Amino acid sequence: MHARLVYAGCLVLWLILSALAALSIASRSLLGAEQQFNSQLQQLTEQLKQRLLTNETILDSYATFSSVDHRGDGRQNHPFVSQLLRRYPQITSLARVERVPAGQAATYSHALQLDYGLAYRLRGFDEKRPLPKQEAYFPLTRAEPPSQANLRLVGRDIWQQPQLREALQENINSGRTALSRQLRLPPQGDPGYALLRSVDDHQNDQLIGLLPQHFAMLFIRADSLLPTDIALPPGMEINLRHRDDPLQPQSGISLRLGDAHPGALEKLLFPRLETSQLLGGTSQPLRLTLSWQQGWAQIGWFEWAVWLSLSLLLGLGLGLAGFSFVRSSDNRRQREQQLFHLANHDRLTGLANRNLFYDRLQHAITRLDRSGKRLGLLFLDLDRFKPVNDTYGHVVGDRVLQLIAARIRDVVRNEDTVARIGGDEFVILMEDIESNREADKVAARLKQAIQMPYQVDHHRVLVGVSIGIAYYPEDGLLIDELLAVADRKMYGNKQSPSRQSENVG
C-alpha cells in the first residue's frame, strides 16, 4: 500500500509537471490566437450586420408595398413578393397584420369570408383553443406566398402566440421594428424569428397619434442568420440567439457553428477565448457569442516533440526517484521489523520472550477487567533435559528445544501466547477460558505431545515436562503473583510421588 501511494504520487506529480510543461511550450504556438480570434469576430460581425440590415430593408419594402396594395387579392401571387422570396430564400413568409377592436370582430370575420371564403373567420393562433375576450385582436390579414399552408394562417390572432405578442407589444410601445424570440415558423414549423413593424398608412388624419392599425411581418429561418461559407479553426464555436432567449431555446434550435468538444485535459491545459456582444441594436437584439477553446490542434510537430521528450525525461526521473524511495523505505521497515522481532522473541525457538509475554499478559488482564472473563497461565518446566545437553551436546539440546516449541504451538490455540522465559521453561497464556477443565485438557495434551521421543541426528531423546496452572483472578491479580502460583504448582507437580518414580524409571 505504501509503494502504491508513492507511485501514485509520482504519477500525479508527473502529470502536473507535464501539464505545466505543455502549457509553457504551447504558448509559443498560441501567441497569434488572440489576433486571429479578433479578426474572426470582426468578420462575423460585419456579415451578421449586413444580413440584419438586409432583413430590415426587406421588411420596409414589404411594408411600403403592403400599405399601397393592402386591398389586393391575398390569394394571388404578386410579382414583387415572388421576386423578394426568390432573391432572399431565408424569408419563408411575408404577412400583413391588422388591429381589430373587439367590437369589430364580427365585421372583420365577414370581410374575411367575402375575400377568402366561408371557412375563414377571426380565430386564435392555435385553432384548438377558443378565442379569448380582449380589447383588440391582431389577426393576419394576408400571408404570402399564397400557398395552401399560408392561407390557413389568415384570420389567426398573433396576440395569442407568446413570442409574437412580445414583439408586437415592443413595436407598439417603441414604434421601432421588433424581432421576436425564436419560435416555430408557419407553415412547416421550422425554427426561426419574426420581424415586425407598424405600417404608416394613416390616410385619415383622425387616426394620427392613435395606436398603429396595420403591421408588416416577415418570418426568417433561424439557420439563415449564421454564415455557412466561413471556415472555423478547430475548437472555435459561434453561438447566435435572441437577447432574451436561453442558450437552448425550448421551442427551437440552438444556432451554433463549429464542433467544439474539448476534452477535460484540453480544458485544463489550454486557455479559452470568449467574447459576447449584441448586434442589431434595439430593433433586432441578437447576441453573438464567439468562443475558442485552444487545444492540441494549435500545437505544431516541433512543440509536440519537445514536450514529449521533456515529459519522458520527467517520467523517467520521477520513476527512478520513486523506486529508490520505496526501496529505501522497505529496507528501513524490514530492519525495524527485524529489530522488533529480536527484541521481543526468543532467537532459538522463535517464541515470544519474557518482555513480549509480560506485555501481552498485561493487556489481557486489562481486557478481562472490562469483560469479566477469566484466563489461565500454564508454566512448563522440562524434566531430564540437562542430561540431554551433557550427553549429546548443546547442538542436539537446542534442536530438541525447537521441536518442543513446535509441538507446543500445534497443541494450543492460535490466539494463545507461547513464550520461552528460561533455558527449559515455557509459559502459555490462554485467554477467555470458560472453566479450569479447558486448561487441564490442554495441559494433558501438552504432556502427551512433549513426552513423545525426539529423533535428532540418529539419537533418540526422551524428556518429560511438569506443568503448573494459575487462573486469573482466583490465584492473583498481578503478573508476578500469577507466575509465582503457576511456578509453585509446577514444582508441586514435579515433586509428586508419581513424577519421582517416573523420573527414576
Side-chain angles (χ1 to χ4, degrees):
M1 185 64 181
H2 175 70
R4 291 183 180 179
L5 290 177
V6 172
Y7 290 133
C10 291
L11 178 61
V12 171
L13 184 59
W14 174 74
L15 291 175
I16 294 175
L17 293 178
S18 297
L20 293 176
L23 286 175
S24 177
I25 295 174
S27 61
R28 181 176 180 274
S29 300
L30 302 177
L31 292 176
E34 186 172 357
Q35 181 178 0
Q36 183 181 358
F37 180 81
N38 292 332
S39 176
Q40 192 76 67
L41 177 64
Q42 183 178 2
Q43 180 183 355
L44 279 170
T45 302
E46 293 299 327
Q47 291 183 1
L48 288 172
K49 285 182 178 180
Q50 186 63 37
R51 294 192 179 206
L52 296 179
L53 180 60
T54 299
N55 292 336
E56 196 161 353
T57 302
I58 296 172
L59 180 62
D60 291 341
S61 300
Y62 180 72
T64 303
F65 164 77
S66 177
S67 63
V68 173
D69 190 50
H70 66 279
R71 297 186 180 277
D73 190 352
R75 291 172 295 181
Q76 299 296 324
N77 197 351
H78 197 280
F80 174 74
V81 176
S82 300
Q83 184 179 4
L84 285 178
L85 294 174
R86 282 196 307 270
R87 187 172 181 181
Y88 304 103
Q90 72 269 23
I91 308 301
T92 63
S93 301
L94 297 164
R96 176 182 172 89
V97 179
E98 183 175 346
R99 181 178 182 272
V100 178
Q104 301 178 13
T107 303
Y108 177 79
S109 295
H110 180 69
L112 281 183
Q113 292 175 353
L114 293 177
D115 291 339
Y116 291 95
L118 296 177
Y120 288 85
R121 69 185 187 283
L122 176 62
R123 60 195 186 279
F125 198 84
D126 185 356
E127 292 185 340
K128 297 179 181 180
R129 298 180 180 179
L131 187 67
K133 293 183 178 180
Q134 54 194 47
E135 294 182 0
Y137 303 96
F138 297 86
L140 278 79
T141 303
R142 177 186 296 180
E144 300 177 279
S147 62
Q148 185 176 0
N150 278 338
L151 287 176
R152 286 201 296 268
L153 297 176
V154 174
R156 293 189 183 185
D157 180 20
I158 67 171
W159 190 262
Q160 309 305 320
Q161 212 285 336
Q163 289 91 333
L164 295 178
R165 179 172 64 247
E166 292 175 6
L168 184 62
Q169 188 68 56
E170 174 68 21
N171 174 256
I172 293 175
N173 293 338
S174 65
R176 296 186 297 266
T177 301
L179 182 72
S180 73
R181 293 187 293 112
Q182 194 178 125
L183 72 158
R184 292 289 181 177
L185 296 179
Q188 302 298 331
D190 298 326
Y193 297 91
L195 192 62
L196 182 144
R197 57 155 292 182
S198 58
V199 177
D200 299 326
D201 59 350
H202 302 306
Q203 298 177 1
N204 190 339
D205 293 340
Q206 296 179 355
L207 297 178
I208 297 177
L210 300 179
L211 293 177
Q213 300 300 307
H214 299 90
F215 305 85
M217 183 168 60
L218 60 84
F219 294 112
I220 314 164
R221 287 199 341 265
D223 56 5
S224 69
L225 295 176
L226 287 176
T228 57
D229 56 348
I230 187 170
L232 298 179
M236 184 174 287
E237 185 179 59
I238 303 171
N239 180 278
L240 186 66
R241 68 183 190 277
H242 191 280
R243 175 190 59 197
D244 300 327
D245 271 338
L247 285 174
Q248 180 64 48
Q250 296 181 356
S251 61
I253 61 172
S254 178
L255 298 183
R256 294 178 182 271
L257 278 183
D259 187 18
H261 299 289
L265 191 58
E266 284 185 316
K267 292 181 179 179
L268 177 64
L269 297 179
F270 296 94
R272 175 183 176 87
L273 302 176
E274 182 172 329
T275 185
S276 179
Q277 64 180 36
L278 287 173
L279 301 176
T282 55
S283 60
Q284 299 186 70
L286 292 176
R287 183 178 296 277
L288 171 66
T289 302
L290 181 64
S291 61
W292 191 9
Q293 174 62 61
Q294 307 292 297
W296 306 114
Q298 278 72 49
I299 303 179
W301 287 108
F302 175 76
E303 286 78 11
W304 272 112
V306 172
W307 175 80
L308 183 60
S309 300
L310 182 58
S311 181
L312 290 176
L313 290 175
L314 287 172
L316 180 61
L318 290 173
L320 291 175
F323 176 76
S324 176
F325 178 81
V326 170
R327 185 174 181 181
S328 175
S329 179
D330 288 343
N331 291 337
R332 184 176 63 255
R333 187 166 56 253
Q334 289 177 1
R335 288 195 301 269
E336 292 174 353
Q337 291 175 352
Q338 290 175 356
L339 292 175
F340 178 82
H341 188 274
L342 291 175
N344 293 276
H345 292 80
D346 178 57
R347 294 189 180 185
L348 178 62
T349 62
L351 300 176
N353 62 11
R354 184 182 296 271
N355 294 332
L356 182 57
F357 178 77
Y358 274 38
D359 182 69
R360 291 188 179 178
L361 180 56
Q362 183 61 55
H363 281 84
I365 291 174
T366 303
R367 263 196 319 273
L368 290 177
D369 289 339
R370 292 194 298 265
S371 64
K373 294 185 178 180
R374 308 167 68 245
L375 64 79
L377 186 63
L378 283 69
F379 195 101
L380 288 71
D381 183 73
L382 300 180
D383 300 331
R384 301 188 304 277
F385 183 72
K386 186 175 183 302
V388 174
N389 286 330
D390 296 340
T391 304
Y392 305 110
H394 288 282
V395 174
V396 175
D398 290 345
R399 180 57 182 158
V400 171
L401 288 174
Q402 291 174 344
L403 294 174
I404 291 173
R407 291 184 182 181
I408 294 174
R409 279 195 294 260
D410 291 338
V411 172
V412 301
R413 302 172 301 181
N414 292 332
E415 61 268 23
D416 296 336
T417 300
V418 182
R420 182 188 178 207
I421 61 174
D424 58 354
E425 294 178 340
F426 299 85
V427 288
I428 300 173
L429 172 62
M430 297 182 61
E431 301 183 45
D432 299 334
I433 60 175
E434 300 294 337
S435 65
N436 295 357
R437 183 177 300 178
E438 186 175 352
D440 293 339
K441 291 180 179 179
V442 173
R445 290 199 300 269
L446 286 171
K447 286 184 178 182
Q448 183 181 2
I450 294 174
Q451 290 174 357
M452 293 180 65
Y454 300 91
Q455 192 71 30
V456 180
D457 295 339
H458 307 289
H459 301 297
R460 189 170 182 270
V461 180
L462 292 173
V463 296
V465 63
S466 299
I467 303 176
I469 307 176
Y471 298 97
Y472 177 90
E474 297 97 316
D475 296 325
L477 300 177
L478 301 177
I479 295 177
D480 292 337
E481 292 177 350
L482 292 172
L483 287 174
V485 172
D487 181 70
R488 187 169 60 252
K489 290 184 178 182
M490 179 276 302
Y491 185 76
N493 178 261
K494 188 184 291 285
Q495 296 299 323
S496 64
S498 60
R499 297 290 298 174
Q500 290 180 357
S501 61
E502 181 182 333
N503 292 338
V504 172

